[in-house]
Amino acid sequence: MHPDPTRTDLLSARDTCEILGINQATLYAYVSRGLLESRPGPDHRSRLYSRQDVERLAQRKQAGRGAARGAAQSLDRGLPVLETRISLIRPDGPYYRGKSAIAAVHDGATLEDIARLLWDCGEQDPFAVEIDPHWPATVAAIAGDARLPPLERAMSAIPLLALEVRHSFNSAPRVRHEIAATLLRHNAALLVSQAPFAGPVHRLLAQCWRPDDEVFAELVRAALVVCADHELNVSAFAARVVASTGAHLHGTVCSGLAALSGPRHGGATARAHALIADAGEAPSVRDFIATRWQRGDDLPGFGHALYPHGDPRAAEILARLRETQTDSPMMSRLEEIIAVAEEISGQRPNIDLLLASICQVHGLPATPALVMFAAGRLAGWLAHALEQQALGRLIRPRASYTGVTPSLEE
């Protein structure tokens, strides 16, 4: 193979800029940052650049664009960015360590059963540890103040509860599981402004909202189980990032609660609750849904990017409501809303709508829907925190800078 006689190993600034797709100011910035080396030209005023270095840099830039694009897409339900053994999302719903969440509901699993599975406790039962039924003096006033919103009450008290945990940084799995179990119970009690409770979380919540209603308690149990984890959702990822710093489990839980407080995450249950109420009060459910859809408004509680054919978690809760609320006028209205929304938008209900529906059908405000979500999902946050800290690695992604380019004078 003969060498190309037109090819030279040195390129002019103009040719270099053309290959790299940059202007001369950027070229000079590359040189100042050490990305390229320049050499004197034949007239001692121009500069030349190694073709090999330029082509190598061009390849790096192209790869970088692809990596940056892939990373950006990964941050919004795109390519996987972390490995986990905790949960898998499939068309038929989430799987917790290989076991179907929907099947677990049918088998009568409690949130505590699911927590043991997600935390990989094996034969250990961290919930067998005794729990003090009284709040420490440092949090008693906050924990008992029912005027505070649930998430804010929990986020205020949990950091103070951490001060009471002697072994919060202990790395032994058994100790960490016991801390997690107590924290799961404390969080649930804080969300409903009750004293710490040693029984199942679903019974604590159900007794607060509809005392001695076994059918309702079963609905709450099912909701907690299907909400326990959903892979790297926003709040789980936030908790995982914080856990990667080595922060104690109480700190990771607070980060999850903070993420959940946003209107595009946990706040979706309140918006779904409002949609059901507004549609029910409208003269025509069809006209109400159609008008919203035609003017470009979303339908809170409908559609899910990871379940294009319908959210199986929602389908499970809806089936249970249908079994227990056959004569309920509110249930009939809900059925109409669901049918019309699917006909007009093509979207099916997601778990946010069904958490809100549990409340609407039972005459409850929107808050219990968010509480069920937060109480259940805490099991998953703790699982991700435990897994991340066992890896012992910091999560520290890089950003692609798109701001003002520094001037050469600086």
Side-chain angles (χ1 to χ4, degrees):
M1 183 175 180
H2 299 289
D4 182 354
T6 64
R7 181 183 174 93
T8 174
D9 290 329
L10 294 175
L11 299 171
S12 67
R14 181 177 179 178
D15 291 339
T16 299
C17 287
E18 185 175 344
I19 291 172
L20 294 175
I22 58 176
N23 57 34
Q24 290 211 355
T26 303
L27 174 60
Y28 299 148
Y30 280 4
V31 172
S32 68
R33 287 158 52 192
L35 298 176
L36 280 176
E37 182 179 351
S38 67
R39 306 177 188 182
D43 58 3
H44 301 292
R45 287 181 298 178
S46 60
R47 307 295 290 180
L48 300 175
Y49 305 86
S50 164
R51 178 185 290 274
Q52 184 178 10
D53 291 345
V54 171
E55 290 178 347
R56 185 183 298 118
L57 182 58
Q59 290 175 354
R60 284 172 54 194
K61 283 188 63 183
Q62 188 61 36
R65 287 193 192 100
R69 190 178 301 114
Q73 292 171 349
S74 295
L75 293 177
D76 187 13
R77 303 178 183 90
L79 299 172
V81 296
L82 285 173
E83 292 183 351
T84 181
R85 295 176 179 269
I86 297 169
S87 64
L88 168 69
I89 295 175
R90 295 180 57 177
D92 59 337
Y95 280 70
Y96 303 149
R97 294 194 182 272
K99 298 185 178 181
S100 165
I102 306 301
V105 171
H106 294 172
D107 292 342
T110 64
L111 179 61
E112 290 77 9
D113 294 328
I114 297 302
R116 284 190 288 266
L117 174 63
L118 290 172
W119 303 344
D120 198 21
C121 291
E123 296 300 315
Q124 180 200 7
D125 182 7
F127 294 97
V129 174
E130 233 178 89
I131 185 170
D132 188 339
H134 306 288
W135 291 114
T138 50
V139 303
I142 297 171
D145 192 345
R147 298 169 300 175
L148 295 172
L151 296 187
E152 285 74 7
R153 183 168 49 242
M155 284 190 285
S156 299
I158 286 174
L160 297 176
L161 287 172
L163 302 177
E164 307 287 331
V165 181
R166 292 176 50 210
H167 305 293
S168 58
F169 291 100
N170 192 311
S171 60
R174 175 175 291 273
V175 174
R176 297 180 68 71
H177 291 158
E178 290 176 356
I179 293 171
T182 299
L183 186 47
L184 185 83
R185 286 170 162 167
H186 279 169
N187 176 69
L190 287 167
L191 289 171
V192 289
S193 190
Q194 296 293 308
F197 179 64
V201 167
H202 72 274
R203 294 206 169 276
L204 170 67
L205 302 184
Q207 194 65 18
C208 285
W209 300 326
R210 288 184 65 85
D212 305 320
D213 186 335
E214 273 302 309
V215 171
F216 179 74
E218 272 295 289
L219 265 177
V220 176
R221 179 190 65 80
L224 294 178
V225 168
V226 298
C227 286
D229 193 60
H230 209 233
E231 196 213 70
L232 285 184
N233 58 87
V234 176
S235 52
F237 187 65
R240 192 153 186 149
V241 170
V242 172
S244 78
T245 69
H248 54 65
L249 294 179
H250 291 67
T252 67
V253 163
C254 285
S255 64
L257 289 167
L260 192 64
S261 68
R264 289 190 292 274
H265 193 9
T269 55
R271 295 172 61 227
H273 191 278
L275 177 74
I276 297 170
D278 293 344
E281 293 173 0
S284 165
V285 169
R286 176 175 295 278
D287 290 347
F288 174 81
I289 298 292
T291 300
R292 281 188 65 103
W293 190 248
Q294 289 166 5
R295 70 179 178 225
D297 292 349
D298 66 339
L299 298 176
F302 286 89
H304 196 295
L306 299 181
Y307 299 115
H309 302 298
D311 186 341
R313 302 168 301 171
E316 175 63 27
I317 302 301
L318 180 58
R320 288 172 176 266
L321 280 176
R322 285 169 173 163
E323 288 175 7
T324 59
Q325 300 292 324
T326 51
D327 300 324
S328 165
M330 186 65 225
M331 190 65 204
S332 299
R333 188 182 308 165
L334 179 65
E335 294 278 20
E336 183 182 6
I337 293 169
I338 291 172
V340 169
E342 183 174 355
E343 179 187 338
I344 291 173
S345 71
Q347 296 181 333
R348 295 178 179 176
N350 60 36
I351 189 61
D352 297 319
L353 187 90
L354 267 298
L355 291 175
S357 297
I358 290 174
C359 297
Q360 284 280 9
V361 168
H362 291 93
L364 298 171
T367 300
L370 176 59
V371 168
M372 284 186 278
F373 195 110
R377 188 56 57 85
L378 188 117
W381 297 339
L382 288 166
H384 283 281
L386 291 165
E387 183 180 64
Q388 186 63 40
Q389 291 186 342
L391 292 174
R393 292 201 299 267
L394 185 71
I395 297 175
R396 202 305 189 181
R398 292 298 310 280
S400 176
Y401 179 69
T402 59
V404 177
T405 303
S407 65
L408 294 178
E409 289 74 14
E410 296 178 357

